Amino acid sequence: MTLKFLFYASIAFVSTHAIAQPAKTLQQSIARGKVVYNQVCNSCHQADGGGVPNMNPPLIKSKWVAGDKKALINIVLNGFSEKVAIDGDYYSNSMPSQSQLTDLQIADVLTFVRNNFDNKASAILPQNVKMCRKKQ
Amino acid sequence: MKTIKLFAGLFLLLFCLSACAQPGSKSNVADGSNAGLILPKGFAAIKLADNVGKSRHIAITPQGDIYVKQLAANGNKGILLLREEKGTGRAPIIKSFGDYGGTGIAIKNGYLYASSDVDIFRYKLDDKGVVIDPAHPEKIVTGLLERHEHESKSIVLDDEGYIYTNIGAYSNSCQEQDRVKGSPGMQPCPILDSAGGIWRFRADVPNQTYATGTRYATGLRNVVGLHWNKSTNSLFVMMHGRDQLHDLFPQYYDEKQSAELPAETMYELHNGSNCGWPYMYYDQQKHQKMLAPEYGGDGVKQGGENAQDPIVAFPGHLAPNGLLFYTGTMFPEKYRNGAFIAFHGSWNRAPEKQKGYLVAFVPFKNGKPSGDWEIFANNFAGINDITSPRQAAHRPCGLAQGPDGALYVSDDVKGAIYKITYSAK
């Protein structure tokens, strides 16, 4: 009985701890990412992620933001200047490469946008960014 | 019997009143609300049309019909023809044609001229100002540079058979890598060979290219609003000043300075004019031409020794998209030969509040400004504090003058067409 209880209690302890730890790092990454966003992305994509009509696309509910990690990381590393329709509209500015940012800064800013502006997607880690840089 | 007749009459009257009060059929004539705009005393505004699609520049025929250039063609609706129904204050679409989106539109000598971001076309008009063969325009100019930044082509004609178009620089400040922090400015800037200026072509010769055109003026980053000033017989343009001084050079510019600088500038151009982009920008607070930081500037060093001075300098990033010199007689004397400017509204003031979204006026005498600029029509956005441009309900883009001297303003958010009139009372 006591053994059983101890067993379950230890499982419960380990699992809550294991979940709480990444949740905390996630929140920290989002907080750091917000600082990067304000410094680097804000003027074009705006504080509400709404972008500028016909110029810079919104990051709100964006399939690019919430979609494939590699594609998203590559937008930030390489910039983006192609005539493609984003939700049916064309945007006539160029997005500059932000490869001067560190792996951690890129991971943080993308984790921030993936958890804001009505997006919900998994965190991006510095090692994900490093992988994409290597392939360049 | 008599009462029944009376009742029937009353009933009919009520029915008619309620039917007429329905929004669909309600007359749109001036009701004092000025379609939400704030105007000087004596002026009134109505929305002749709304939601017709992102409307860039507009041109009015001598008969008072309105041609509207649409940003996107949406099939075959790149150009709309609107006709005002007398007495209702509405201008329904009576024709649409053109399989290309774009910005520029102008009427001259019996032709309608319109541009995509690459080509300029013209259509012959009949004696009522209606396009005769909408499916077969003549291509006047072809192959203009379109590099996915500042790509819109505005057009204007002079009285000597020339058409002028802006070719915007596909760059913010001619850095090796556009808008990348730390990337140096290219010396000399290679963009200026084929963009960053105004090009001139014959208005009546088909299939002209760069090879047959003239680079009329250079050192202009991006011009959207331009107009031929009849009183000086010369071309005037409004240039969009550079973006992102703080983003790219935080060591020299704080966020507040970066929101105000550099100026949006008005220039009078002649063949060979040079306005200095990308090597300099204009500081409207110091009234000086400054060396661009990509070329060694630091917010203090002056530059642009060979560049001409602007005629008027406005606060930064307001985005002048329309320019018109008023020649009508409907508006009071003060407005005659003065300049109206449609400011599309800023995005590059973040994190400060955005500004613009208005039509400004500059009085002119003898071809020179005779007073400070002022706000003429305001509140297109419909809200006071704009922190993100998409909050604006309307953004002024094009300007045109009607045959009776009324001023028309187009909006490229959803496509409202405003008509502003004056009556002394």
Side-chain angles (χ1 to χ4, degrees):
Chain A
M1 173 71 195
T2 5
L3 250 181
K4 233 184 189 172
F5 173 76
L6 266 178
F7 177 73
Y8 282 118
S10 62
I11 283 188
F13 176 79
V14 169
S15 60
T16 47
H17 198 75
I19 290 167
Q21 201 48 36
K24 198 164 155 224
T25 46
L26 177 68
Q27 287 316 315
Q28 285 168 341
S29 172
I30 291 173
R32 287 191 307 264
K34 187 182 168 109
V35 177
V36 180
Y37 184 87
N38 286 342
Q39 277 167 2
V40 187
C41 326
N42 188 38
S43 51
C44 294
H45 292 289
Q46 303 284 312
D48 61 352
V52 180
N54 310 316
M55 262 199 106
N56 307 312
L59 303 180
I60 297 169
K61 278 196 189 136
S62 158
K63 66 168 199 274
W64 305 83
V65 170
D68 179 53
K69 287 187 185 180
K70 276 188 213 134
L72 179 60
I73 294 167
N74 280 328
I75 288 178
V76 175
L77 284 177
N78 304 335
F80 190 170
S81 179
E82 283 157 45
K83 210 169 171 94
V84 292
I86 299 173
D87 270 340
D89 280 315
Y90 288 92
Y91 293 89
S92 78
N93 204 352
S94 306
M95 163 140 171
S97 151
Q98 304 291 350
S99 60
Q100 82 281 3
L101 298 174
T102 63
D103 292 351
L104 180 67
Q105 284 175 313
I106 292 176
D108 287 342
V109 75
L110 292 178
T111 301
F112 168 76
V113 296
R114 277 161 78 90
N115 286 281
N116 270 284
F117 314 139
D118 291 336
N119 299 306
K120 190 74 208 144
S122 59
I124 289 188
L125 303 172
Q127 49 265 43
N128 303 141
V129 180
K130 189 179 241 148
M131 288 293 287
C132 289
R133 267 199 223 262
K134 273 204 188 125
K135 287 200 194 105
Q136 308 256 308
Chain B
M1 183 63 195
K2 224 177 171 183
T3 10
I4 287 176
K5 244 190 189 159
L6 188 72
F7 268 160
L10 261 176
F11 182 75
L12 263 177
L13 187 74
L14 278 173
F15 179 78
C16 187
L17 274 176
S18 69
C20 298
Q22 269 168 24
S25 58
K26 193 179 136 195
S27 141
N28 192 31
V29 286
D31 57 1
S33 73
N34 291 329
L37 302 187
I38 298 167
L39 299 165
K41 207 165 161 270
F43 287 90
I46 51 172
K47 242 186 217 174
L48 284 177
D50 206 354
N51 298 314
V52 297
K54 294 174 179 177
S55 299
R56 297 287 285 176
H57 285 172
I58 45 179
I60 317 269
T61 66
Q63 295 79 10
D65 283 355
I66 311 157
Y67 282 100
V68 182
K69 188 74 201 78
Q70 295 281 297
L71 184 65
N74 292 321
N76 216 15
K77 296 186 212 121
I79 300 171
L80 308 177
L81 174 55
L82 274 54
R83 179 168 294 160
E84 184 176 347
E85 287 171 345
K86 287 284 163 267
T88 67
R90 288 177 189 287
I93 299 168
I94 59 163
K95 221 184 188 44
S96 54
F97 56 97
D99 60 359
Y100 53 96
T103 291
I105 196 150
I107 293 170
K108 190 81 184 180
N109 296 336
Y111 283 91
L112 176 75
Y113 292 80
S115 65
S116 69
D117 294 340
V118 179
D119 301 317
I120 303 174
F121 302 89
R122 74 169 182 176
Y123 305 78
K124 183 129 191 63
L125 299 174
D126 66 18
D127 56 5
K128 293 187 183 67
V130 175
V131 165
I132 295 167
D133 188 357
H136 301 100
E138 220 180 321
K139 199 181 267 184
I140 295 298
V141 181
T142 185
L144 300 176
L145 206 65
E146 192 258 304
R147 290 259 179 101
H148 197 57
E149 185 175 349
H150 303 148
E151 69 272 47
S152 72
K153 306 290 183 287
S154 305
I155 51 174
V156 70
L157 293 100
D158 67 11
D159 292 325
E160 279 152 36
Y162 290 105
I163 186 164
Y164 301 78
T165 183
N166 87 290
I167 305 178
Y170 46 93
S171 172
N172 177 37
S173 192
C174 209
Q175 291 168 278
E176 274 169 20
Q177 283 177 285
D178 187 27
R179 296 174 195 263
V180 171
K181 197 169 166 180
S183 173
M186 290 187 273
Q187 183 69 269
C189 175
I191 292 172
L192 293 169
D193 294 344
S194 58
I198 302 289
W199 265 255
R200 186 177 78 173
F201 298 92
R202 293 296 310 177
D204 57 355
V205 176
N207 293 316
Q208 298 166 88
T209 61
Y210 275 104
T212 49
T214 307
R215 188 180 76 176
Y216 189 74
T218 189
L220 289 154
R221 178 177 173 273
N222 186 33
V223 166
V224 187
L226 77 185
H227 203 220
W228 192 260
N229 185 338
K230 297 230 179 225
S231 71
T232 56
N233 198 32
S234 57
L235 178 65
F236 279 65
V237 301
M238 289 290 318
M239 186 179 93
H240 285 226
R242 56 152 312 148
D243 300 327
Q244 294 184 282
L245 281 170
H246 171 75
D247 289 350
L248 300 169
F249 295 93
Q251 67 273 39
Y252 303 136
Y253 306 90
D254 65 24
E255 285 166 342
K256 283 207 157 59
Q257 289 170 315
S258 189
E260 286 302 323
L261 297 175
E264 304 286 53
T265 41
M266 182 191 289
Y267 293 100
E268 179 177 6
L269 302 180
H270 299 285
N271 201 347
S273 282
N274 173 15
C275 300
W277 182 90
Y279 311 110
M280 57 145 279
Y281 66 85
Y282 194 77
D283 182 326
Q284 77 279 14
Q285 294 163 338
K286 295 187 170 133
H287 308 283
Q288 280 168 356
K289 290 177 286 188
M290 310 300 293
L291 191 62
E294 288 81 358
Y295 292 89
D298 55 5
V300 180
K301 283 185 208 137
Q302 295 187 40
E305 292 74 22
N306 304 319
Q308 75 180 60
D309 283 313
I311 294 226
V312 190
F314 298 86
H317 314 300
L318 305 189
N321 273 10
L323 173 64
L324 180 134
F325 284 89
Y326 186 76
T327 56
T329 52
M330 176 196 273
F331 291 5
E333 181 65 37
K334 160 185 170 181
Y335 294 94
R336 216 130 318 145
N337 301 317
F340 287 101
I341 301 104
F343 283 109
H344 197 221
S346 70
W347 59 275
N348 211 249
R349 287 180 161 250
E352 300 292 305
K353 277 181 196 133
Q354 303 298 348
K355 282 193 185 158
Y357 309 86
L358 55 85
V359 175
F361 176 73
V362 184
F364 270 68
K365 272 227 154 59
N366 304 319
K368 298 265 181 286
S370 58
D372 286 337
W373 73 275
E374 62 190 44
I375 295 175
F376 174 72
N378 208 349
N379 202 39
F380 286 86
I383 54 166
N384 281 333
D385 290 339
I386 302 168
T387 52
S388 180
R390 73 187 177 119
Q391 295 160 346
H394 302 287
R395 303 180 77 183
C397 188
L399 296 170
Q401 185 184 310
D404 60 353
L407 182 71
Y408 293 72
V409 186
S410 57
D411 141 65
D412 71 354
V413 177
K414 294 217 171 73
I417 308 294
Y418 297 86
K419 180 182 182 182
I420 302 176
T421 51
Y422 178 83
S423 70
K425 251 182 255 147

